Structure formats: C-alpha cells, structure tokens
mmCIF file of all heavy atoms in Angstrom:
data_model
loop_
_atom_site.group_PDB
_atom_site.id
_atom_site.type_symbol
_atom_site.label_atom_id
_atom_site.label_comp_id
_atom_site.label_asym_id
_atom_site.label_seq_id
_atom_site.Cartn_x
_atom_site.Cartn_y
_atom_site.Cartn_z
ATOM 1 N N ARG M 1 -121.636 169.490 -101.318
ATOM 2 C CA ARG M 1 -121.536 170.588 -102.346
ATOM 3 C C ARG M 1 -121.213 171.911 -101.627
ATOM 4 O O ARG M 1 -121.764 172.167 -100.483
ATOM 5 C CB ARG M 1 -122.851 170.793 -103.093
ATOM 6 C CG ARG M 1 -122.812 172.025 -103.962
ATOM 7 C CD ARG M 1 -124.084 172.028 -104.770
ATOM 8 N NE ARG M 1 -124.214 173.387 -105.441
ATOM 9 C CZ ARG M 1 -125.193 173.625 -106.354
ATOM 10 N NH1 ARG M 1 -126.244 172.750 -106.535
ATOM 11 N NH2 ARG M 1 -125.242 174.705 -106.928
ATOM 12 N N TYR M 2 -120.277 172.659 -102.106
ATOM 13 C CA TYR M 2 -119.994 174.080 -101.559
ATOM 14 C C TYR M 2 -120.881 175.072 -102.211
ATOM 15 O O TYR M 2 -120.974 175.201 -103.386
ATOM 16 C CB TYR M 2 -118.448 174.370 -101.876
ATOM 17 C CG TYR M 2 -118.152 175.733 -101.309
ATOM 18 C CD1 TYR M 2 -118.086 176.050 -99.976
ATOM 19 C CD2 TYR M 2 -117.838 176.806 -102.280
ATOM 20 C CE1 TYR M 2 -117.724 177.281 -99.580
ATOM 21 C CE2 TYR M 2 -117.507 178.093 -101.821
ATOM 22 C CZ TYR M 2 -117.463 178.310 -100.435
ATOM 23 O OH TYR M 2 -117.126 179.589 -100.046
ATOM 24 N N VAL M 3 -121.616 175.734 -101.406
ATOM 25 C CA VAL M 3 -122.506 176.829 -101.814
ATOM 26 C C VAL M 3 -121.865 178.135 -101.519
ATOM 27 O O VAL M 3 -121.630 178.519 -100.346
ATOM 28 C CB VAL M 3 -123.915 176.709 -101.054
ATOM 29 C CG1 VAL M 3 -124.753 177.763 -101.612
ATOM 30 C CG2 VAL M 3 -124.547 175.222 -101.375
ATOM 31 N N ARG M 4 -121.548 178.827 -102.590
ATOM 32 C CA ARG M 4 -120.823 180.057 -102.432
ATOM 33 C C ARG M 4 -121.589 181.223 -101.731
ATOM 34 O O ARG M 4 -121.009 182.039 -100.963
ATOM 35 C CB ARG M 4 -120.337 180.685 -103.763
ATOM 36 C CG ARG M 4 -119.362 179.716 -104.483
ATOM 37 C CD ARG M 4 -118.894 180.320 -105.830
ATOM 38 N NE ARG M 4 -117.892 179.463 -106.447
ATOM 39 C CZ ARG M 4 -116.570 179.586 -106.234
ATOM 40 N NH1 ARG M 4 -116.165 180.446 -105.375
ATOM 41 N NH2 ARG M 4 -115.844 178.761 -106.860
ATOM 42 N N SER M 5 -122.946 181.231 -102.037
ATOM 43 C CA SER M 5 -123.799 182.257 -101.574
ATOM 44 C C SER M 5 -125.033 181.714 -100.947
ATOM 45 O O SER M 5 -126.054 181.691 -101.597
ATOM 46 C CB SER M 5 -124.172 183.413 -102.558
ATOM 47 O OG SER M 5 -124.782 184.459 -102.024
ATOM 48 N N PRO M 6 -124.953 181.235 -99.702
ATOM 49 C CA PRO M 6 -126.115 180.455 -99.248
ATOM 50 C C PRO M 6 -127.218 181.342 -98.541
ATOM 51 O O PRO M 6 -126.843 182.367 -97.986
ATOM 52 C CB PRO M 6 -125.481 179.585 -98.174
ATOM 53 C CG PRO M 6 -124.197 180.324 -97.678
ATOM 54 C CD PRO M 6 -123.718 181.111 -98.876
ATOM 55 N N ARG M 7 -128.424 180.773 -98.495
ATOM 56 C CA ARG M 7 -129.469 181.235 -97.780
ATOM 57 C C ARG M 7 -129.889 180.109 -96.732
ATOM 58 O O ARG M 7 -129.735 179.021 -97.037
ATOM 59 C CB ARG M 7 -130.749 181.728 -98.576
ATOM 60 C CG ARG M 7 -130.428 182.967 -99.481
ATOM 61 C CD ARG M 7 -131.598 183.146 -100.270
ATOM 62 N NE ARG M 7 -132.884 183.429 -99.697
ATOM 63 C CZ ARG M 7 -134.064 183.688 -100.203
ATOM 64 N NH1 ARG M 7 -134.136 183.826 -101.474
ATOM 65 N NH2 ARG M 7 -135.153 183.984 -99.502
ATOM 66 N N HIS M 8 -130.421 180.479 -95.616
ATOM 67 C CA HIS M 8 -130.781 179.598 -94.634
ATOM 68 C C HIS M 8 -132.349 179.603 -94.530
ATOM 69 O O HIS M 8 -133.023 180.489 -94.070
ATOM 70 C CB HIS M 8 -130.254 179.914 -93.288
ATOM 71 C CG HIS M 8 -130.601 178.870 -92.220
ATOM 72 N ND1 HIS M 8 -130.028 179.033 -90.843
ATOM 73 C CD2 HIS M 8 -131.331 177.768 -92.219
ATOM 74 C CE1 HIS M 8 -130.491 177.992 -90.242
ATOM 75 N NE2 HIS M 8 -131.311 177.237 -90.952
ATOM 76 N N VAL M 9 -132.971 178.520 -95.142
ATOM 77 C CA VAL M 9 -134.329 178.428 -95.189
ATOM 78 C C VAL M 9 -134.894 177.139 -94.479
ATOM 79 O O VAL M 9 -134.216 176.119 -94.667
ATOM 80 C CB VAL M 9 -134.935 178.377 -96.644
ATOM 81 C CG1 VAL M 9 -136.311 178.215 -96.742
ATOM 82 C CG2 VAL M 9 -134.516 179.542 -97.439
ATOM 83 N N GLU M 10 -135.881 177.208 -93.630
ATOM 84 C CA GLU M 10 -136.291 176.083 -92.826
ATOM 85 C C GLU M 10 -137.810 176.035 -93.030
ATOM 86 O O GLU M 10 -138.490 176.958 -93.246
ATOM 87 C CB GLU M 10 -135.888 176.291 -91.384
ATOM 88 C CG GLU M 10 -136.550 177.541 -90.703
ATOM 89 C CD GLU M 10 -135.917 177.739 -89.285
ATOM 90 O OE1 GLU M 10 -134.808 177.365 -89.035
ATOM 91 O OE2 GLU M 10 -136.633 178.300 -88.503
ATOM 92 N N VAL M 11 -138.272 174.773 -92.789
ATOM 93 C CA VAL M 11 -139.688 174.393 -92.989
ATOM 94 C C VAL M 11 -140.277 173.901 -91.678
ATOM 95 O O VAL M 11 -139.736 172.935 -91.023
ATOM 96 C CB VAL M 11 -139.996 173.367 -94.146
ATOM 97 C CG1 VAL M 11 -141.423 173.103 -94.285
ATOM 98 C CG2 VAL M 11 -139.396 173.990 -95.461
ATOM 99 N N GLN M 12 -141.370 174.494 -91.275
ATOM 100 C CA GLN M 12 -142.075 173.899 -90.069
ATOM 101 C C GLN M 12 -142.947 172.765 -90.434
ATOM 102 O O GLN M 12 -143.862 172.931 -91.301
ATOM 103 C CB GLN M 12 -142.931 175.100 -89.497
ATOM 104 C CG GLN M 12 -143.758 174.588 -88.173
ATOM 105 C CD GLN M 12 -142.793 174.414 -87.002
ATOM 106 O OE1 GLN M 12 -142.179 175.383 -86.544
ATOM 107 N NE2 GLN M 12 -142.683 173.167 -86.563
ATOM 108 N N VAL M 13 -142.746 171.657 -89.773
ATOM 109 C CA VAL M 13 -143.568 170.439 -90.073
ATOM 110 C C VAL M 13 -144.146 169.991 -88.798
ATOM 111 O O VAL M 13 -143.729 170.235 -87.698
ATOM 112 C CB VAL M 13 -142.740 169.198 -90.696
ATOM 113 C CG1 VAL M 13 -142.190 169.630 -92.036
ATOM 114 C CG2 VAL M 13 -141.555 168.851 -89.731
ATOM 115 N N PHE M 14 -145.299 169.260 -88.929
ATOM 116 C CA PHE M 14 -145.996 168.485 -87.830
ATOM 117 C C PHE M 14 -146.381 167.132 -88.253
ATOM 118 O O PHE M 14 -146.890 166.979 -89.498
ATOM 119 C CB PHE M 14 -147.204 169.382 -87.425
ATOM 120 C CG PHE M 14 -147.053 170.064 -86.153
ATOM 121 C CD1 PHE M 14 -146.501 171.303 -86.072
ATOM 122 C CD2 PHE M 14 -147.277 169.465 -84.912
ATOM 123 C CE1 PHE M 14 -146.351 172.031 -84.831
ATOM 124 C CE2 PHE M 14 -147.160 170.119 -83.659
ATOM 125 C CZ PHE M 14 -146.619 171.389 -83.631
ATOM 126 N N ALA M 15 -146.354 166.196 -87.360
ATOM 127 C CA ALA M 15 -146.722 164.851 -87.620
ATOM 128 C C ALA M 15 -147.390 164.239 -86.513
ATOM 129 O O ALA M 15 -147.099 164.565 -85.288
ATOM 130 C CB ALA M 15 -145.518 163.951 -88.115
ATOM 131 N N ASP M 16 -148.384 163.353 -86.740
ATOM 132 C CA ASP M 16 -149.037 162.730 -85.675
ATOM 133 C C ASP M 16 -148.757 161.309 -85.612
ATOM 134 O O ASP M 16 -147.914 160.773 -86.264
ATOM 135 C CB ASP M 16 -150.767 162.963 -85.733
ATOM 136 C CG ASP M 16 -151.239 162.385 -87.061
ATOM 137 O OD1 ASP M 16 -150.542 161.463 -87.560
ATOM 138 O OD2 ASP M 16 -152.312 162.894 -87.400
ATOM 139 N N HIS M 17 -149.480 160.632 -84.765
ATOM 140 C CA HIS M 17 -149.156 159.201 -84.448
ATOM 141 C C HIS M 17 -149.891 158.276 -85.475
ATOM 142 O O HIS M 17 -149.624 157.021 -85.440
ATOM 143 C CB HIS M 17 -149.778 158.672 -83.131
ATOM 144 C CG HIS M 17 -149.055 159.385 -81.856
ATOM 145 N ND1 HIS M 17 -147.991 158.810 -81.292
ATOM 146 C CD2 HIS M 17 -149.315 160.505 -81.127
ATOM 147 C CE1 HIS M 17 -147.531 159.694 -80.297
ATOM 148 N NE2 HIS M 17 -148.403 160.645 -80.151
ATOM 149 N N TYR M 18 -150.515 158.802 -86.460
ATOM 150 C CA TYR M 18 -151.227 157.971 -87.367
ATOM 151 C C TYR M 18 -150.724 158.066 -88.917
ATOM 152 O O TYR M 18 -151.456 157.728 -89.796
ATOM 153 C CB TYR M 18 -152.765 158.457 -87.312
ATOM 154 C CG TYR M 18 -153.277 158.449 -85.935
ATOM 155 C CD1 TYR M 18 -153.391 159.628 -85.164
ATOM 156 C CD2 TYR M 18 -153.671 157.314 -85.293
ATOM 157 C CE1 TYR M 18 -153.856 159.712 -83.994
ATOM 158 C CE2 TYR M 18 -154.126 157.364 -84.008
ATOM 159 C CZ TYR M 18 -154.175 158.439 -83.205
ATOM 160 O OH TYR M 18 -154.619 158.609 -81.983
ATOM 161 N N GLY M 19 -149.587 158.544 -88.921
ATOM 162 C CA GLY M 19 -148.843 158.606 -90.223
ATOM 163 C C GLY M 19 -149.106 159.852 -91.003
ATOM 164 O O GLY M 19 -148.741 159.949 -92.209
ATOM 165 N N ASN M 20 -149.777 160.828 -90.445
ATOM 166 C CA ASN M 20 -150.139 162.082 -91.164
ATOM 167 C C ASN M 20 -149.066 163.136 -90.873
ATOM 168 O O ASN M 20 -148.535 163.272 -89.702
ATOM 169 C CB ASN M 20 -151.518 162.651 -90.659
ATOM 170 C CG ASN M 20 -152.594 161.683 -90.784
ATOM 171 O OD1 ASN M 20 -152.816 161.158 -91.870
ATOM 172 N ND2 ASN M 20 -153.296 161.401 -89.620
ATOM 173 N N ALA M 21 -148.705 163.910 -91.856
ATOM 174 C CA ALA M 21 -147.679 164.947 -91.664
ATOM 175 C C ALA M 21 -147.993 166.098 -92.649
ATOM 176 O O ALA M 21 -148.506 165.932 -93.675
ATOM 177 C CB ALA M 21 -146.303 164.428 -91.978
ATOM 178 N N VAL M 22 -147.807 167.237 -92.121
ATOM 179 C CA VAL M 22 -148.036 168.480 -92.967
ATOM 180 C C VAL M 22 -146.918 169.481 -92.662
ATOM 181 O O VAL M 22 -146.000 169.323 -91.822
ATOM 182 C CB VAL M 22 -149.389 169.114 -92.551
ATOM 183 C CG1 VAL M 22 -150.602 168.364 -92.705
ATOM 184 C CG2 VAL M 22 -149.304 169.628 -90.983
ATOM 185 N N TYR M 23 -146.810 170.367 -93.683
ATOM 186 C CA TYR M 23 -145.857 171.473 -93.624
ATOM 187 C C TYR M 23 -146.645 172.848 -93.404
ATOM 188 O O TYR M 23 -147.684 173.038 -93.943
ATOM 189 C CB TYR M 23 -144.765 171.555 -94.621
ATOM 190 C CG TYR M 23 -145.444 171.800 -96.007
ATOM 191 C CD1 TYR M 23 -145.721 173.086 -96.490
ATOM 192 C CD2 TYR M 23 -145.791 170.739 -96.888
ATOM 193 C CE1 TYR M 23 -146.231 173.294 -97.833
ATOM 194 C CE2 TYR M 23 -146.400 170.966 -98.124
ATOM 195 C CZ TYR M 23 -146.577 172.151 -98.618
ATOM 196 O OH TYR M 23 -147.103 172.416 -99.823
ATOM 197 N N LEU M 24 -146.026 173.761 -92.627
ATOM 198 C CA LEU M 24 -146.747 175.048 -92.391
ATOM 199 C C LEU M 24 -145.871 176.114 -93.032
ATOM 200 O O LEU M 24 -145.455 177.183 -92.481
ATOM 201 C CB LEU M 24 -146.968 175.253 -90.963
ATOM 202 C CG LEU M 24 -147.973 174.406 -90.337
ATOM 203 C CD1 LEU M 24 -147.374 173.186 -89.554
ATOM 204 C CD2 LEU M 24 -148.958 175.128 -89.533
ATOM 205 N N TRP M 25 -145.488 175.892 -94.225
ATOM 206 C CA TRP M 25 -144.642 176.790 -95.156
ATOM 207 C C TRP M 25 -143.203 177.042 -94.441
ATOM 208 O O TRP M 25 -142.944 176.348 -93.522
ATOM 209 C CB TRP M 25 -145.343 178.024 -95.418
ATOM 210 C CG TRP M 25 -146.738 177.827 -95.938
ATOM 211 C CD1 TRP M 25 -147.989 177.877 -95.254
ATOM 212 C CD2 TRP M 25 -147.041 177.415 -97.301
ATOM 213 N NE1 TRP M 25 -148.920 177.444 -96.186
ATOM 214 C CE2 TRP M 25 -148.424 177.196 -97.406
ATOM 215 C CE3 TRP M 25 -146.290 177.300 -98.396
ATOM 216 C CZ2 TRP M 25 -149.039 176.798 -98.516
ATOM 217 C CZ3 TRP M 25 -146.886 176.817 -99.681
ATOM 218 C CH2 TRP M 25 -148.250 176.596 -99.665
ATOM 219 N N GLU M 26 -142.537 177.946 -95.070
ATOM 220 C CA GLU M 26 -141.234 178.008 -94.713
ATOM 221 C C GLU M 26 -140.794 179.452 -94.137
ATOM 222 O O GLU M 26 -141.576 180.328 -94.272
ATOM 223 C CB GLU M 26 -140.250 177.782 -96.032
ATOM 224 C CG GLU M 26 -140.308 178.785 -96.970
ATOM 225 C CD GLU M 26 -141.675 178.815 -97.863
ATOM 226 O OE1 GLU M 26 -142.526 177.896 -97.717
ATOM 227 O OE2 GLU M 26 -141.801 179.828 -98.602
#
C-alpha cells in the first residue's frame, strides 16, 4: 500500500527464553 502522508512509529519489545514477551509502548 502507498501511504501518502506517513508517520514512522516503532514499538520497543522484550522477550525471554520462556515464551514471555512484553511491549514498552511506542
């Protein structure tokens, strides 16, 4: 899809060896 007026937003994530994962907002 072509986005005419884009913003660049990224999300910080963390995951461990036991299948757990979280996000620390964007």
Side-chain angles (χ1 to χ4, degrees):
R1 175 177 172 176
Y2 176 69
V3 181
R4 292 181 181 275
S5 186
R7 290 174 63 176
H8 184 175
V9 177
E10 60 189 30
V11 179
Q12 180 70 65
V13 297
F14 253 92
D16 62 21
H17 294 274
Y18 309 100
N20 305 306
V22 297
Y23 61 88
L24 292 102
W25 307 101
E26 70 286 351

